[in-house]
Amino acid sequence: MSRIVECVPNFSEGRDQGIIDKIAAPFSAQEGVKLLDVQTDSDHNRMVVTAMGTPQSIKKAVIEAMGRAVAHIDMTRHQGQHPRMGAVDVVPFIPIQDLTMADAVALSREVAAEAATRFNLPIFLYERSATAAHRANLAAIRKGQFEGMAEKLKNPLWQPDYGPARVHPTAGVTAVGARAPLVAFNVNLGTDQAHIADAIAKKVRHIGGGLRYCKAMGVTLKGRDLVQVSMNMTDFSQTALYQALELIRMEAKRYGVAVVGSEVVGLVPMQALMDCAAYYMGLEDFSIKQVLESHLI
Amino acid sequence: MSRIVECVPNFSEGRDQGIIDKIAAPFSAQEGVKLLDVQTDSDHNRMVVTAMGTPQSIKKAVIEAMGRAVAHIDMTRHQGQHPRMGAVDVVPFIPIQDLTMADAVALSREVAAEAATRFNLPIFLYERSATAAHRANLAAIRKGQFEGMAEKLKNPLWQPDYGPARVHPTAGVTAVGARAPLVAFNVNLGTDQAHIADAIAKKVRHIGGGLRYCKAMGVTLKGRDLVQVSMNMTDFSQTALYQALELIRMEAKRYGVAVVGSEVVGLVPMQALMDCAAYYMGLEDFSIKQVLESHLI
């Protein structure tokens, strides 16, 4: 088994295919890196790259891509619906295999230090890599957006962790950090009553007194006469998917409503579902190394 | 995702480390093949190689290894406790990823045809590759062992599928075929009464009227005051692990006994556990391609 980290950098270009291709190219060219997805949105004027690989290969590819974004994106002329503060807006690292969160934090610091020096870019460490509590949340760092950063960086509370203490004239400001993998997990209820999904979502999510790494809201599934508790599980290694599912089942009983199904949207780390299999089967001493395919990665 | 096949050839040499290494070497040398295990047993005088890789890479490696076994093993002088009929006793191919059983059968035929010609070896197709019902079971083919094969091959019912219709003088006879992956799955019961595990094993296994791809027996777990239903799941894509587990739970209720845990022994294909997660979570439209790691294989 290799050490594998995921990297999902967001760049502020979603319209010019030539520039999009230039920024994505280092991920497909780099040995040891697998480029999984390049998502672009012209309304947001933003691109999101999803890549996985060994830490040092990912580091090389993302620094190269950051350099290209700094060279080709001019934030003074950038317009788009999504909040943004820099050409390289945010670079999250997610530990996937044989890598601790501390390893991912260390990698994020290496990348931030090197990119800040090479591209003369002010960089904030965020999420698990943050150096102060008020800088952990990306939205807090990004508040004011590109246009407000010159003023913001005068505040001693908002000195960048790496690079100059002033905005890059065309590339703005960047956030780099480690975070846990995010799993989009939805649970369907056998009712069409939206208020029931809303009420259950409120009980199960962190801000309502529920599970720590669970964000949730009620959603109506058109065409199916069902409602859904739609969740973002922000750290499945701490808050397991089965915990959210069983808590929802418990709350649903209050309304005489059954859980009729669930779904995982998009990609999910193998461990998140293995934890569920192990829980429901009562598996003892199970290790991911027993999965045949883990030896092929 | 690459197409991945597993190959678990058994060779009749478990004592001479020089020959063991020679036979295993093609699997570690071949690009596109991962050698997972070489198990040897000097009482059985037998070695079992476990390797995975792309079909064509596995084909090259196994044919090379078969040639070496034919060259270095003399069955006229072979002694061991395990039944055997040839230097290359049996070569099973197991589809793991992006490969159907029909693909694995086709691969087994290619390997059998080429090895039979190159090494002048009589080869029977067995299991899913068998060309007649009475030849599907390996034990039926091997009956009479090396010493009885000369006589057996005179019978029109026992003409090899490939190669000469006579025993190779030093390498005997070989069986090649495709089969489903085998999962060793045990369920622990909260009692020390061996007869309860025995009775439940008999109800859940195929020969007792139970699940088609399930072999089971009762086992006492020394030092834990527990008994266990110990199973071989011979095709989890047809008989799922959760079916066996829930049937055991049902039967155990009859005795007022609880299921207190379960275990998977050794390697297990990811799909076998994903099927269980999907069942217990009620996952809709889940595909193994949603597993992040599947894109790295």
Side-chain angles (χ1 to χ4, degrees):
Chain A
M1 299 206 336
S2 307
R3 302 172 76 217
I4 301 286
V5 67
E6 187 184 10
C7 185
V8 191
N10 292 217
F11 304 95
S12 294
E13 177 59 66
R15 293 172 188 168
D16 185 324
Q17 194 61 44
I19 296 176
I20 290 166
D21 292 344
K22 273 197 187 74
I23 293 172
F27 294 98
S28 34
Q30 175 65 49
E31 205 184 333
V33 169
K34 175 103 183 182
L35 175 59
L36 292 181
D37 191 38
V38 179
Q39 216 181 324
T40 61
D41 187 307
S42 67
D43 293 333
H44 289 181
N45 197 8
R46 190 177 180 84
M47 65 185 277
V48 179
V49 172
T50 305
M52 282 191 290
T54 60
Q56 289 309 306
S57 309
I58 283 285
K59 178 183 169 183
K60 279 186 209 162
V62 74
I63 288 176
E64 175 65 25
M66 290 169 81
R68 293 179 179 204
V70 170
H72 293 286
I73 298 173
D74 182 355
M75 292 305 290
T76 65
R77 306 197 301 181
H78 183 274
Q79 290 192 313
Q81 287 169 10
H82 196 287
R84 78 287 178 273
M85 60 183 184
V88 187
D89 204 51
V90 56
V91 182
F93 293 96
I94 303 125
I96 298 296
Q97 180 175 281
D98 245 10
L99 201 79
T100 63
M101 184 56 76
D103 296 332
V105 168
L107 178 66
S108 74
R109 287 171 171 271
E110 277 181 44
V111 168
E114 190 167 329
T117 305
R118 279 181 57 181
F119 311 127
N120 205 27
L121 198 61
I123 299 188
F124 286 95
L125 294 170
Y126 84 115
E127 278 278 339
R128 303 292 176 94
S129 305
T131 51
H134 71 283
R135 295 148 74 116
N137 189 337
L138 178 64
I141 299 175
R142 196 156 54 194
K143 195 174 177 192
Q145 298 201 45
F146 173 70
E147 290 75 10
M149 284 295 138
E151 193 58 31
K152 187 169 190 169
L153 263 58
K154 292 178 184 162
N155 185 335
L157 286 174
W158 293 106
Q159 293 306 295
D161 290 289
Y162 296 99
R166 59 181 186 283
V167 179
H168 186 290
T170 55
V173 167
T174 293
V176 173
R179 64 165 173 81
L182 193 136
V183 178
F185 180 47
N186 303 327
V187 174
N188 299 336
L189 304 175
T191 175
D192 60 1
Q193 301 295 300
H195 71 95
I196 293 178
D198 290 339
I200 294 175
K202 281 176 187 158
K203 286 300 279 183
V204 77
R205 69 192 180 189
H206 185 229
I207 51 165
L211 296 165
R212 176 158 180 189
Y213 294 101
C214 177
K215 297 176 179 179
M217 63 178 187
V219 167
T220 298
L221 293 188
K222 288 171 190 159
R224 284 191 67 184
D225 292 331
L226 295 178
V227 295
Q228 180 178 78
V229 179
S230 177
M231 292 176 285
N232 269 328
M233 306 298 293
T234 57
D235 188 349
F236 69 80
S237 73
Q238 307 285 324
T239 299
L241 274 58
Y242 65 82
Q243 291 180 293
L245 173 58
E246 294 307 323
L247 269 187
I248 290 169
R249 204 190 305 278
M250 271 170 52
E251 290 296 327
K253 277 184 191 155
R254 201 188 258 270
Y255 307 96
V257 165
V259 166
V260 298
S262 72
E263 60 174 350
V264 166
V265 183
L267 294 175
V268 55
M270 176 162 43
Q271 186 75 55
L273 294 178
M274 289 297 170
D275 289 345
C276 293
Y279 169 74
Y280 288 109
M281 299 170 79
L283 278 180
E284 299 176 4
D285 299 325
F286 181 75
S287 152
I288 207 104
K289 292 189 177 161
Q290 287 182 254
V291 176
L292 208 70
E293 287 88 342
S294 72
H295 297 273
L296 296 176
I297 294 172
Chain B
M1 300 204 342
S2 307
R3 303 173 75 215
I4 301 285
V5 68
E6 186 183 11
C7 185
V8 191
N10 291 218
F11 303 95
S12 295
E13 178 59 66
R15 293 172 188 167
D16 185 323
Q17 195 60 45
I19 296 176
I20 290 165
D21 291 345
K22 274 198 184 74
I23 293 171
F27 294 98
S28 34
Q30 175 66 48
E31 204 184 333
V33 169
K34 175 105 182 181
L35 174 60
L36 291 182
D37 191 39
V38 180
Q39 215 181 325
T40 61
D41 188 306
S42 67
D43 292 334
H44 289 179
N45 198 6
R46 190 177 180 85
M47 65 184 278
V48 179
V49 172
T50 304
M52 282 191 291
T54 61
Q56 289 309 307
S57 308
I58 282 286
K59 177 182 169 183
K60 277 185 210 163
V62 73
I63 289 176
E64 175 66 25
M66 290 168 81
R68 292 179 181 205
V70 170
H72 292 286
I73 297 172
D74 182 355
M75 291 305 291
T76 64
R77 306 197 301 180
H78 183 274
Q79 291 194 311
Q81 286 169 11
H82 196 287
R84 78 287 179 271
M85 62 183 182
V88 186
D89 204 52
V90 57
V91 182
F93 294 95
I94 302 125
I96 299 296
Q97 179 176 281
D98 245 11
L99 201 80
T100 64
M101 184 57 76
D103 295 332
V105 168
L107 177 67
S108 74
R109 286 171 173 269
E110 276 180 45
V111 168
E114 190 167 328
T117 306
R118 278 180 56 180
F119 311 127
N120 205 28
L121 198 61
I123 298 187
F124 287 95
L125 294 170
Y126 85 116
E127 278 279 339
R128 302 293 177 93
S129 306
T131 52
H134 71 282
R135 296 149 74 116
N137 189 336
L138 177 64
I141 298 174
R142 196 157 53 192
K143 195 174 177 192
Q145 298 200 46
F146 172 71
E147 291 74 11
M149 284 296 138
E151 194 58 32
K152 188 170 188 169
L153 265 56
K154 292 178 184 162
N155 185 334
L157 287 174
W158 293 106
Q159 294 306 295
D161 291 289
Y162 296 99
R166 59 182 184 282
V167 179
H168 185 290
T170 56
V173 168
T174 294
V176 173
R179 64 165 172 81
L182 193 136
V183 178
F185 179 47
N186 303 328
V187 174
N188 298 338
L189 304 174
T191 174
D192 60 0
Q193 300 295 301
H195 71 96
I196 294 178
D198 289 340
I200 295 175
K202 281 176 186 156
K203 285 301 280 183
V204 76
R205 70 192 181 191
H206 185 228
I207 51 167
L211 297 164
R212 176 159 179 188
Y213 295 102
C214 176
K215 298 176 179 178
M217 63 177 185
V219 167
T220 298
L221 293 187
K222 286 168 192 162
R224 284 192 65 185
D225 292 330
L226 295 178
V227 296
Q228 181 177 77
V229 179
S230 177
M231 292 176 286
N232 269 328
M233 305 298 294
T234 57
D235 189 348
F236 70 80
S237 72
Q238 306 285 324
T239 300
L241 273 58
Y242 65 81
Q243 291 181 293
L245 174 57
E246 294 306 323
L247 269 187
I248 290 169
R249 205 190 304 279
M250 270 170 52
E251 290 297 326
K253 278 185 191 152
R254 202 188 258 270
Y255 306 97
V257 165
V259 167
V260 297
S262 72
E263 60 175 349
V264 167
V265 182
L267 293 175
V268 55
M270 176 160 44
Q271 186 76 56
L273 294 179
M274 289 298 171
D275 288 346
C276 292
Y279 169 74
Y280 288 109
M281 299 170 77
L283 278 180
E284 299 177 3
D285 300 326
F286 181 75
S287 151
I288 206 105
K289 292 188 176 160
Q290 288 182 254
V291 177
L292 208 70
E293 287 87 342
S294 71
H295 297 273
L296 294 176
I297 295 173

